[in-house]
Amino acid sequence: MRALTKYDDLDELLIEEHVALPAERPADRALVRLNMISSVDGGSAVDGVSGGLGNRDDHAVFAALRDQADFVLVGLSTVVAEQYGPPAQDDLQILVVAPTPDVSGNPSLFETGRATFVLGEAAPPTPSGVPDMRVGKGTSVDLAGLVRELRGQVVMLEGGPSLAGVMVSLGLVDEFFHTAAPMVVAGESARITHGPAADAHAWGLMHGFCDDAGYLFLRYARDGSAR
Ligand SMILES: NC(=O)c1ccc[n+]([C@@H]2O[C@H](COP(=O)([O-])OP(=O)(O)OC[C@H]3O[C@@H](n4cnc5c(N)ncnc54)[C@H](OP(=O)(O)O)[C@@H]3O)[C@@H](O)[C@H]2O)c1
């Protein structure tokens, strides 16, 4: 664990170190890395979006994590609330988990072909030109089956709290990148993971730093030892 330090000029090398891929990866499924931001009192959104919590350095970490990824995995509600656009990285595809392929909340993203719906086999067909993957019977996606299907790949899980909570409770998240924004927002937004309970063992704190605005960036590994 690197000492927590304030960096006036957050340098690229520090961010590279923070997001560097782990030496060991699961053999039988994708490596899944979760990235979420919260206020220090645990809020996940301000006025319904996480953008109100972030800053320049959080955006830099977010972008650096995407640079390492083969896929972004995200819930449909987040794609709509945050008005996701196509990723800056040409070869990065967004996988959107949903019970039904409803493009109405963000039609411009789905028109680009850069977002693939991940649906259960019984979900309705996607609109013409919108790619899909079918994993699991019924309308629910078999998330464990999905990460097995993506074995060998790096998956950046970007939330929201519902999808992240289910993935954590299923033991499918290997690393957690948490940004703590120096804000106390109260309100009614969800915690950054919520839903079914997960195994409450201690995760290893692998890296961390603080920027000049008081944002704290922490990296945990589910099976890691603190260092
Ligand atoms: N602080 C942060 O870092 C952060 C990050 C991302 C988003 N957010 C905020 O979080 C909010 C949105 O998050 P959210 O938790 O409401 O939703 P979400 O996790 O983005 O998406 C939930 C969607 O995924 C579907 N889903 C989940 N598991 C599924 C499965 N196994 N099979 C099929 N569909 C499945 C849900 O279906 P059902 O409808 O059937 O449940 C629902 O439609 C927004 O306010 C956003 O700004 C914050």
Side-chain angles (χ1 to χ4, degrees):
M1 167 69 191
R2 183 169 184 153
L4 291 176
T5 314
K6 278 192 160 196
Y7 288 87
D8 290 331
D9 286 311
L10 201 60
D11 64 73
E12 281 176 25
L13 286 178
L14 176 64
I15 293 185
E16 270 175 36
E17 190 182 310
H18 189 62
V19 305
L21 287 168
E24 287 181 23
R25 308 217 210 144
D28 54 348
R29 59 178 182 78
L31 173 75
V32 180
R33 319 180 94 188
L34 171 63
N35 183 36
M36 299 291 281
I37 186 168
S38 72
S39 58
V40 288
D41 61 333
S44 60
V46 175
D47 296 331
V49 286
S50 61
L53 294 167
N55 77 343
R56 177 200 58 183
D57 298 324
D58 179 59
H59 297 161
V61 170
F62 180 93
L65 284 165
R66 280 193 170 192
D67 284 343
Q68 306 269 17
D70 298 301
F71 294 97
V72 167
L73 182 64
V74 64
L76 178 59
S77 305
T78 294
V79 162
V80 172
E82 310 269 344
Q83 282 299 295
Y84 265 44
Q89 298 81 350
D90 288 339
D91 52 352
L92 190 59
Q93 189 72 7
I94 299 181
L95 302 180
V96 182
V97 175
T100 188
D102 180 0
V103 299
S104 63
N106 191 341
S108 57
L109 171 67
F110 290 103
E111 276 163 17
T112 64
R114 301 287 305 280
T116 298
F117 269 114
V118 184
L119 302 162
E121 282 167 13
T126 51
S128 168
V130 178
D132 68 347
M133 276 177 79
R134 303 275 170 168
V135 194
K137 309 221 178 293
T139 54
S140 203
V141 175
D142 171 2
L143 295 166
L146 173 67
V147 298
R148 276 197 307 274
E149 217 160 283
L150 297 174
R151 74 182 152 277
Q153 310 288 329
V154 177
V155 171
M156 204 54 241
L157 174 59
E158 295 182 350
S162 309
L163 180 61
V166 175
M167 292 284 291
V168 170
S169 72
L170 292 171
L172 299 176
V173 174
D174 301 295
E175 295 188 295
F176 184 16
F177 292 82
H178 178 223
T179 303
M183 297 179 190
V184 182
V185 301
E188 294 180 355
S189 64
R191 288 163 46 218
I192 45 177
T193 70
H194 79 135
D199 168 22
H201 78 283
W203 290 39
L205 178 59
M206 310 308 285
H207 194 265
F209 62 90
C210 182
D211 76 3
D212 59 342
Y215 278 72
L216 190 55
F217 297 85
L218 298 172
R219 171 181 178 168
Y220 297 90
R222 188 187 59 220
D223 298 326
S225 309
R227 59 180 161 94

